[in-house]
Amino acid sequence: MKNKLFLILCIALTLNACQTSDTTGNTNDGPVGPDPQEVAEHELDIIGDGNGQRPRVGDEVTFIQKVYQNGEQLGNPVNRNFAQVAELPPDSTLMRPINPSYAALFKMGEGDSAVITQPASGLDSLPPGVSEEDVFTYEIKLLRVRSKDQVEQEATELMERRDALDNQTQTFISDYTAGRLDAKLKETENGVKYLLHERGKGELPPLGQPVFISYMGYTMDGKSFDDTFQLGETVNFPLGEGKMVPGFEEIVKNLPKGSKATVVIPSEQAYGSSGKGNFIPPDSDLVFYIEVLNI
C-alpha cells in the first residue's frame, strides 16, 4: 500500500516531456514554473542560498526526494538514497492540483534543499489509505540541473573519449599482467590496487549520499562487461550501502571529486567464487576505469 502511494505522490517528478530547456546561460522563453493557484495547498521552506543554477521546463534535474506520511517515511528504504534523474515536464501534462514537489524545484538552485508540508485535506480526492487528517512531508535536495543541450553535449563528449579510454585500459591490463606496473600501483588495505591518473581537488564522497561516476569494467582477458561511456551516461549510488561490490566502494570513498583512476579489484572484493551471470566467471579479478564526477 505505501509503496503504491509513494508512486502516486511522486508521479509529477518522473514524467518525461519533449520541451525546450531554459537554464542559466541558455536562451529560451520556456516557463519558469506553474501558476501558484494550480499547486496543491502546502508550506515551503527552502534551505540554501538560492544562487545555484535553477531549472526550467524541459531541463534534466537530479535530486534526492524523501516522502513522509505523518512522520513515517514512505517508499522502499533500499532505494531511497539513490538520486533520481527526471526531465521536468510542462505543467499542462500534470494532474490537478499540481504536486508541490514539482513546483518547489523551480524555486530552488543547485545545492539547495527544501522541506514541503502538504495536508491531505487539500487534495481533490484522497488515495486509498489516506485520511483528511494526514500530513505529507517532502524533503528534496536538488543536486544538478542540466539543459537538454548540456545533456546532449556531455553525452557526445563521453562517447568521443570512450575509444581512447578503452585503448588506455587495454594497455593497462597488458602492462599489469606483465608486471610492468608493479612499482607504480598503490594498494588499499583490502588488496585493491590502483593507478591514479588524476587526483581531484574536490571533497571526498560522504557516506550515504549519491556519488556520480562514469566507469568501464573489464575482466583480466580484456573483455568489457560494463561501460557507462558507451551508453553516454553517468550513474550514481549511495556510498557505503553495499550497492556496488566491496572493492569498488572502497576505492571510490578514497577518490575526491574530479579523480580518475584505473583499478584492479581482486575476486574476493568483487563477485568471488560465484561470478556474475555469463559475463564474469567465478574467481575473476576485475579492472575498472573510474571517474568521480560529482558528489
Side-chain angles (χ1 to χ4, degrees), residues 222-243:
K223 292 181 180 178
S224 172
F225 61 84
D226 205 354
D227 187 347
T228 67
F229 289 88
Q230 195 166 48
L231 298 174
E233 65 183 20
T234 62
V235 297
N236 78 85
F237 66 96
L239 189 62
E241 296 189 4
K243 302 303 186 292

Side-chain angles (χ1 to χ4, degrees), residues 169-201:
T169 309
Q170 294 288 356
T171 299
F172 173 93
I173 293 173
S174 297
D175 289 344
Y176 175 83
T177 303
R180 291 189 288 268
L181 297 176
D182 291 351
K184 297 181 180 180
L185 295 175
K186 298 181 179 181
E187 186 171 350
T188 70
E189 60 180 341
N190 290 314
V192 177
K193 298 179 181 179
Y194 63 100
L195 179 64
L196 190 62
H197 306 292
E198 182 178 337
R199 183 173 180 82
K201 298 180 181 179

Side-chain angles (χ1 to χ4, degrees), residues 1-250:
M1 166 58 72
K2 289 188 174 180
N3 283 342
K4 181 178 180 181
L5 176 59
F6 178 76
L7 293 175
I8 294 173
L9 292 171
C10 297
I11 191 67
L13 294 181
T14 55
L15 294 173
N16 289 323
C18 297
Q19 299 291 319
T20 54
S21 59
D22 185 4
T23 59
T24 302
N26 295 275
T27 58
N28 188 295
D29 295 326
V32 295
D35 183 341
Q37 295 183 351
E38 298 278 352
V39 181
E41 177 187 351
H42 69 283
E43 296 180 3
L44 172 64
D45 182 19
I46 294 179
I47 305 165
D49 56 23
N51 293 328
Q53 182 166 304
R54 294 192 178 191
R56 296 202 180 205
V57 167
D59 284 354
E60 180 191 271
V61 292
T62 305
F63 61 96
I64 301 172
Q65 178 178 239
K66 300 179 181 180
V67 184
Y68 301 82
Q69 181 181 3
N70 302 327
E72 182 178 353
Q73 187 168 356
L74 306 180
N76 185 345
V78 173
N79 295 322
R80 64 192 180 197
N81 284 330
F82 278 101
Q84 302 177 56
V85 180
E87 184 178 309
L88 285 174
D91 58 35
S92 61
T93 66
L94 306 179
M95 297 174 59
R96 271 18 183 204
I98 294 175
N99 189 296
S101 293
Y102 169 88
L105 285 169
F106 292 97
K107 299 180 180 181
M108 301 168 66
E110 282 184 329
D112 288 349
S113 299
V115 178
I116 303 160
T117 304
Q118 179 186 20
S121 58
L123 299 174
D124 284 351
S125 61
L126 298 178
V130 178
S131 69
E132 289 191 353
E133 291 74 30
D134 287 345
V135 176
F136 295 102
T137 304
Y138 303 81
E139 295 178 357
I140 303 175
K141 183 173 180 62
L142 181 58
L143 302 174
R144 184 168 63 166
V145 177
R146 296 194 298 170
S147 70
K148 188 171 294 185
D149 287 344
Q150 288 174 316
V151 171
E152 293 175 353
Q153 179 180 348
E154 290 181 19
T156 299
E157 291 173 352
L158 283 173
M159 288 295 292
E160 289 175 347
R161 294 179 56 223
R162 191 266 168 195
D163 288 345
L165 291 173
D166 176 65
N167 290 333
Q168 173 183 298
T169 309
Q170 294 288 356
T171 299
F172 173 93
I173 293 173
S174 297
D175 289 344
Y176 175 83
T177 303
R180 291 189 288 268
L181 297 176
D182 291 351
K184 297 181 180 180
L185 295 175
K186 298 181 179 181
E187 186 171 350
T188 70
E189 60 180 341
N190 290 314
V192 177
K193 298 179 181 179
Y194 63 100
L195 179 64
L196 190 62
H197 306 292
E198 182 178 337
R199 183 173 180 82
K201 298 180 181 179
E203 301 175 357
L204 284 171
L207 294 178
Q209 295 299 311
V211 181
F212 294 82
I213 59 174
S214 289
Y215 68 91
M216 297 187 291
Y218 300 81
T219 50
M220 274 298 175
D221 57 3
K223 292 181 180 178
S224 172
F225 61 84
D226 205 354
D227 187 347
T228 67
F229 289 88
Q230 195 166 48
L231 298 174
E233 65 183 20
T234 62
V235 297
N236 78 85
F237 66 96
L239 189 62
E241 296 189 4
K243 302 303 186 292
M244 307 293 279
V245 296
F248 197 100
E249 294 217 4
E250 182 184 26

